[in-house]
Amino acid sequence: MSTTWQTPISSFETNRRRVGALKSLGVVSVGDALTYYPFRVTDPVPARALREAKIGENMAFAAHVRGVRVFPMARRGFRLIADVDDGDFARSRHMDASMASLVFFSYRKSYVDWIQRKLHEGALLVVAGEPSVYNDRLQFTHPDLLTVDPAAERTEDERTEWDDGFGEIDGTGFGEDSGADGSNGTAGFAGNSAGANTYAGNLKYDAESIPEALRHVCRPRPVYHANSRISSEHIHESIEKCMDALCGDEYAAAQAARALQQDGAPDAQNGESDLPQADREARTEALAVAVPDIMPERFRAEHGLMHRAEAFMSIHDPQDRRRFDEALRTLRYEEALVCQTALVQSRDSSRKATATVCADTRLKDDFVASLPFTLTDGQQRVIDDISSDMARDYPMQRLLQGEVGSGKTVVAVAAMMQAVGSGKQAVLVAPTQVLAEQHYESIRGTVERMRGDAQSGESDEKTTHNDAVDKGGQVDTGDGTASQDGGQPADSPVLLLTGGMKLAARRRVLAQAASGKPCIVVATHAAFSKTFQAPNLALAVIDEQHRFGVEQRESLNAKGSTAPHLLVMTATPIPRTAAMTWFGDLDISWLTELPGGRKPISTFVVPEANGPLMAEMFGLIRKRIDAGERAYVVCPRIDADAKDADDAGGSGDAEVGSAFDATYDLGEDDEQREQRPPLHSVAEIAERLRSLPQFAGIRIATLTGRDDDETKSQIMADFEAGVTPILVATTVIEVGVDVAQASCMVIFDADRYGLSQLHQLRGRVGRGGTESGAFLISRAPEGSDAAKRLDVIAGTLDGAEIAQADLEFRGAGDVLGDVQSGGKSGLKLLRVVKDVKIIEEARAEAAKLVAEDPTLQGYVQLAGAVLDFTRGNETFLTSN
């Protein structure tokens, strides 16, 4: 069976443990393996005799094993010491011979036995590692090593005698992944070991000659993200095996023929033959047949890029750093072209769909005129842009990015008023019930105020229009809609739909929406259920769009007879370069100007170890509470029994009752993580605050994702009313919570959050025009990266500047809502900050290709890559 891009690794990899370990990294198929890219490449390792060793500098040498000893360790586990000498190798370098020790530690006896079999007395090795000194002797701890067939050094008669004698040894070998217990293991390589002689049972020599082994260990080697189940070296071996499998049987036959030719080459033993380069070229040619290029030839030539197969060879089997960097650049261009082509096609496809024209702006204009404040220039401009979009017959697709408190909701309500005024339905989807209820109360109040203004005769024109509305000016068309001439229906309702509603109330809302009568529905995830139908849905507004996936967004298209206009909103700051990468299929609007009356939020970093400063902060908060204000206190965990978010391996979903909320990934290993103090919890901090004299007589409430919807609503109502003026919560209050009296925000373990999340949390205070402050409680050491991140958030209120810093500190994940740890962004190599030029060039090429050939029939490989990308990365297009 021929190997293809989709072939499972398990079909040719016999080591089941390794297959399982690769699967834990998301590597299942051959294509997964080749696109599991290394994050760096090692420097070349110099070949030196032992007497040339420099302490602390990596080196490689050839040696014979002179003795092996295994010692049990005091607590548990084993230590293996092998004595080696480099006599023959040292003489070839005109140096005197010397001795060294190779040391291995392991808790597993099977691993020690496996190493001992490889390092039997007399074994010929090539060793690579960092030398140190112990008891006045040169030592290499857990070095990489390759076993070499000693027959390469013998005469034909000696070789036959050796093979005959050694073939009688009967032993049981251990799996090649026996070193997966955290040790370095041994450095084997799949491509050249297949023809090596076998010794000690099923263990094989890793190389047939010393020059061959030295070429392998001395060249630059890729380093991959590994885990406790599989080392970087074994990942490399598996990828090499996948590339060989793709090359096919013809390449394997040619390789065998070249191996025979090498035996007779006069300079082969000195490593001077050019056959390895010829073998590499043949391998690249064979790989190119199985892995055709994706990028158009003209684009590749214009930018000086490699063929795809050549790039895979240079990144997974690098000859030098220059070629490795060129391969990275090529694959970044490829990734940029694929994702930008997908975005251009998505945008063109949306413009071919049919949408309902919503051209009646009278109700929208009435709404704007009824506002008790003046819109900012930015708000007015965005409202005008959206109004023009909705008057077209193809769906609007617009992303509205606004600073926290910049007035995005007002813009959204204006758009919904235009839809209702045109006799249609609109839905606003919020990520939490708390936020949905706040939107519902706000919008319902706005509608009632508009009617009140109309009835009081604020303006003749408005009175005439609204009187007609209130007196039933709707013209019934017989299908449950209002005509363009009729304006808003008499009972144009604002409906609330949440998963926590009682069944009878929920059914009433669903029936009203299903009737097709003009209305505004404010909903949570319940809007995506099959029971919700809105046959005249003309506008869908998604608040905090990164909380919803593309499948949910697409489900709204099936609610009405035509595709609705779409407005997605986010308060998460997104740099323009990132927005161009992730949201290239959307028109983008920015709101950067805060409404009048909002005062800047003062931000302070407070070291938790500074007791006097902490006490002063609590005293200040008490004064604010006595003045009738409110305070949020945010903690990353719910209770002390919950594991840390990064220890548990994922972000918490507050709406389904997670035990913790996601925190910033510090990139620590297990030992560092164990030494770190535990995160503060809501339960712990609430109890601590109740015991402080500063808060004597003050009621303190808690709010977490474990609370049910009814409890959350009651807690927020009590907080807003001042019954419980201090609210200790997880980041469930991060999005959309709007309490005008809240003026203080305390965030414990602030050094464990991303900058964008801190900026979002900080925006929950100061919404009533009062002087407000945010206190970032930190245990980060002075001068650490975590401390530097907090300095950024304390030094600016500019969301774009914060987002840019967040990208540079941690990647795109948190900024765009993929995962809070920032490790996943839908892209493998492309960097939205540093690769903006590549993205722009790919965008231009994608637009040109799609304009010339919309279905990419002339670019079959690119079309396939785009389809695979879209299917495998649906969330990429909406940054879920």
Side-chain angles (χ1 to χ4, degrees):
M1 180 184 73
S2 61
T3 302
T4 68
W5 193 255
Q6 290 77 29
T7 299
I9 294 176
S10 58
S11 65
F12 55 82
E13 174 59 77
T14 57
N15 188 324
R16 297 297 98 183
R17 290 180 55 208
R18 179 169 293 195
V19 171
L22 290 170
K23 185 177 180 180
S24 71
L25 297 174
V27 178
V28 177
S29 67
V30 170
D32 294 334
L34 265 65
T35 56
Y36 192 82
Y37 301 119
F39 63 90
R40 68 179 178 90
V41 64
T42 63
D43 292 324
V45 176
R48 294 172 178 165
L50 288 174
R51 290 190 179 276
E52 299 174 288
K54 298 178 181 180
I55 303 303
E57 290 187 14
N58 284 331
M59 60 173 283
F61 63 97
H64 286 89
V65 178
R66 296 309 180 198
V68 182
R69 306 180 302 284
V70 176
F71 305 93
M73 293 190 290
R75 294 185 177 179
R76 66 187 184 96
F78 303 88
R79 177 180 59 171
L80 181 149
I81 301 177
D83 297 321
V84 299
D85 80 75
D86 68 341
D88 295 339
F89 182 71
R91 283 189 290 273
S92 72
R93 298 182 62 81
H94 309 292
M95 302 290 295
D96 292 334
S98 186
M99 297 281 292
S101 297
L102 311 182
V103 184
F104 297 86
F105 300 92
S106 179
Y107 291 122
R108 296 169 53 197
K109 185 64 165 60
S110 61
Y111 171 71
V112 174
D113 290 343
W114 178 65
I115 289 289
Q116 189 173 11
R117 287 180 180 276
K118 293 177 77 73
L119 302 184
H120 61 84
E121 187 172 347
L124 178 60
L125 308 173
V126 165
V127 181
E130 181 181 309
S132 60
V133 175
Y134 181 75
N135 285 343
D136 295 326
R137 188 168 193 177
L138 204 62
Q139 175 176 291
F140 295 81
T141 303
H142 280 281
D144 289 338
L145 57 88
L146 299 179
T147 56
V148 181
D149 184 354
E153 296 188 324
R154 298 171 177 269
T155 64
E156 187 63 33
D157 291 338
E158 289 174 323
R159 183 181 306 179
T160 302
E161 180 181 352
W162 175 275
D163 288 344
D164 290 342
F166 216 86
E168 296 174 358
I169 296 177
D170 183 25
T172 303
F174 294 89
E176 61 182 315
D177 276 349
S178 296
D181 59 343
S183 61
N184 290 341
T186 58
F189 51 103
N192 295 319
S193 62
N197 293 329
T198 302
Y199 69 97
N202 65 354
L203 293 179
K204 294 181 178 180
Y205 293 116
D206 298 313
E208 295 182 344
S209 68
I210 291 174
E212 177 188 355
L214 283 173
R215 278 195 298 271
H216 180 73
V217 300
C218 292
R219 69 184 180 185
R221 283 191 287 172
V223 181
Y224 302 84
H225 287 292
N227 60 27
S228 60
R229 297 181 61 185
I230 187 169
S231 66
S232 173
E233 187 64 41
H234 289 147
I235 293 171
H236 183 216
E237 290 175 20
S238 296
I239 294 173
E240 290 265 330
K241 187 178 291 187
C242 288
M243 288 200 293
D244 281 345
L246 276 174
C247 289
D249 296 337
E250 292 183 7
Y251 165 74
Q255 186 185 36
R258 278 190 291 277
L260 292 175
Q261 183 182 355
Q262 185 177 10
D263 285 341
D267 295 327
Q269 296 301 317
N270 297 322
E272 302 296 333
S273 171
D274 63 352
L275 284 173
Q277 180 60 33
D279 177 81
R280 184 182 183 87
E281 292 173 358
R283 191 183 190 200
T284 304
E285 291 175 5
L287 190 63
V289 175
V291 185
D293 213 350
I294 285 177
M295 294 181 285
E297 179 63 30
R298 73 164 189 270
F299 182 71
R300 194 159 61 83
E302 179 183 350
H303 298 286
L305 306 174
M306 296 177 171
H307 187 282
R308 194 182 197 207
E310 186 181 3
F312 282 140
M313 282 288 293
S314 296
I315 201 170
H316 291 304
D317 186 18
Q319 289 180 299
D320 53 57
R321 185 176 295 277
R322 181 185 64 83
R323 296 289 288 173
F324 180 86
D325 290 341
E326 288 181 6
L328 275 179
R329 178 172 171 270
T330 294
L331 293 169
R332 285 194 176 109
Y333 265 99
E334 177 185 287
E335 196 167 60
L337 183 61
V338 171
C339 78
Q340 290 300 312
T341 303
L343 289 169
V344 170
Q345 283 189 323
S346 175
R347 180 169 183 162
D348 287 358
S349 175
S350 68
R351 292 189 172 180
K352 293 176 182 176
T354 301
T356 300
V357 174
C358 296
D360 192 332
T361 64
R362 289 177 294 170
L363 193 59
K364 181 260 295 183
D365 295 338
D366 288 350
F367 162 71
V368 172
S370 72
L371 293 172
F373 52 83
T374 303
L375 294 174
T376 66
D377 293 340
Q379 286 175 311
Q380 189 60 63
R381 182 174 59 254
V382 175
I383 288 174
D384 291 343
D385 289 342
I386 293 173
S387 181
S388 299
D389 290 348
M390 293 178 63
R392 298 185 303 221
D393 61 358
Y394 60 87
M396 169 181 72
Q397 300 238 39
R398 184 170 291 275
L399 169 69
L400 175 58
Q401 176 188 326
E403 286 283 359
V404 176
S406 61
K408 298 183 300 297
T409 304
V410 171
V411 173
V413 174
M416 290 190 288
M417 290 296 181
Q418 181 165 331
V420 172
S422 299
K424 299 299 176 182
Q425 296 171 307
V427 61
L428 187 156
V429 186
T432 69
Q433 174 157 334
V434 170
L435 181 54
E437 289 174 347
Q438 288 190 347
H439 280 319
Y440 169 69
E441 294 295 341
S442 173
I443 297 170
R444 189 177 67 171
T446 297
V447 172
E448 291 175 354
R449 184 175 64 249
M450 288 173 61
R451 286 176 175 166
D453 290 345
Q455 290 169 359
S456 64
E458 183 177 334
S459 75
D460 291 341
E461 182 179 351
K462 284 171 58 181
T463 300
T464 301
H465 176 64
N466 284 282
D467 280 346
V469 170
D470 289 336
K471 292 175 182 177
Q474 173 187 8
V475 177
D476 190 352
T477 60
D479 59 357
T481 65
S483 73
Q484 292 286 344
D485 296 332
Q488 184 190 12
D491 296 320
S492 175
V494 180
L495 308 175
L496 177 65
L497 178 65
T498 70
M501 295 175 65
K502 293 183 178 179
L503 183 59
R506 181 184 176 91
R507 283 177 174 171
R508 282 196 297 270
V509 172
L510 292 174
Q512 285 181 277
S515 71
K517 293 182 179 179
C519 61
I520 293 174
V521 181
V522 181
T524 57
H525 291 71
F528 304 122
S529 69
K530 292 182 180 179
T531 57
F532 173 66
Q533 295 297 322
N536 285 315
L537 182 64
L539 173 66
V541 180
I542 308 293
D543 195 10
E544 290 306 321
Q545 61 81 35
H546 63 267
R547 302 291 181 100
F548 305 103
V550 67
E551 292 181 2
Q552 292 172 315
R553 190 184 82 175
E554 290 296 323
S555 72
L556 294 176
N557 288 338
K559 303 296 183 183
S561 57
T562 59
H565 298 286
L566 178 68
L567 175 65
V568 293
M569 304 191 299
T570 181
T572 304
I574 305 170
R576 290 177 184 268
T577 54
M580 179 179 65
T581 306
W582 263 262
F583 305 107
D585 59 333
L586 304 177
D587 295 312
I588 304 176
S589 297
W590 277 269
L591 286 178
T592 57
E593 182 182 356
L594 293 181
R598 290 292 300 271
K599 295 181 180 179
I601 302 169
S602 301
T603 305
F604 308 92
V605 178
V606 181
E608 188 172 355
N610 190 331
L613 191 58
M614 292 283 288
E616 184 180 346
M617 176 192 71
F618 289 135
L620 175 62
I621 293 173
R622 175 58 189 260
K623 290 179 181 178
R624 290 298 188 94
I625 290 173
D626 289 342
E629 297 172 12
R630 315 281 186 270
Y632 295 108
V633 180
V634 178
C635 304
R637 293 197 300 175
I638 293 178
D639 52 44
D641 294 331
K643 294 178 66 179
D644 288 2
D646 48 350
D647 290 342
S651 62
D653 181 355
E655 284 308 292
V656 295
S658 65
F660 47 79
D661 285 287
T663 52
Y664 186 86
D665 182 4
L666 300 178
E668 299 169 319
D669 58 28
D670 291 340
E671 183 177 351
Q672 291 171 318
R673 191 176 289 112
E674 287 178 4
Q675 294 173 354
R676 186 184 68 214
L679 298 172
H680 289 299
S681 68
V682 168
E684 169 210 345
I685 293 300
E687 191 62 31
R688 177 175 164 185
L689 295 182
R690 291 186 182 107
S691 68
L692 292 176
Q694 291 94 329
F695 299 124
I698 299 296
R699 292 184 61 184
I700 297 173
T702 62
L703 179 66
T704 73
R706 286 181 183 166
D707 297 318
D708 57 46
D709 292 334
E710 186 175 347
T711 302
K712 288 177 185 176
S713 298
Q714 186 60 53
I715 290 171
M716 289 305 302
D718 290 345
F719 178 64
E720 188 168 5
V723 176
T724 51
I726 297 179
L727 181 62
V728 185
T730 59
T731 54
V732 67
I733 58 98
E734 174 187 357
V735 175
V737 173
D738 189 358
V739 177
Q741 301 92 335
S743 63
C744 297
M745 168 71 69
V746 180
I747 304 174
F748 278 89
D749 295 305
D751 51 296
R752 302 299 311 284
Y753 289 93
L755 297 186
S756 294
Q757 191 171 29
L758 290 173
H759 182 59
Q760 182 90 312
L761 286 166
R762 176 173 61 181
R764 295 304 106 205
V765 298
R767 305 175 79 85
T770 58
E771 296 281 353
S772 300
F775 302 92
L776 310 180
I777 312 302
S778 170
R779 290 181 282 187
E782 188 175 352
S784 64
D785 282 349
K788 292 175 183 176
R789 290 191 294 107
L790 294 185
D791 289 341
V792 171
I793 200 77
T796 182
L797 294 172
D798 186 335
E801 182 179 338
I802 290 168
Q804 187 73 19
D806 214 3
L807 273 174
E808 293 169 359
F809 270 117
R810 65 189 298 193
D814 179 66
V815 175
L816 299 176
D818 292 335
V819 286
Q820 297 291 352
S821 64
K824 180 181 177 181
S825 66
L827 294 172
K828 294 188 176 183
L829 291 174
L830 202 62
R831 304 159 302 181
V832 296
V833 176
K834 296 182 179 179
D835 294 331
V836 60
K837 183 171 182 275
I838 292 177
I839 294 168
E840 289 173 345
E841 292 172 346
R843 179 73 173 187
E845 179 68 15
K848 186 189 304 181
L849 289 173
V850 174
E852 296 172 353
D853 186 353
T855 60
L856 299 178
Q857 291 184 352
Y859 305 94
V860 177
Q861 299 302 328
L862 177 60
V866 168
L867 184 60
D868 290 341
F869 176 85
T870 305
R871 285 174 174 170
N873 297 272
E874 292 95 342
T875 54
F876 174 92
L877 297 179
T878 53
S879 180
N880 181 40

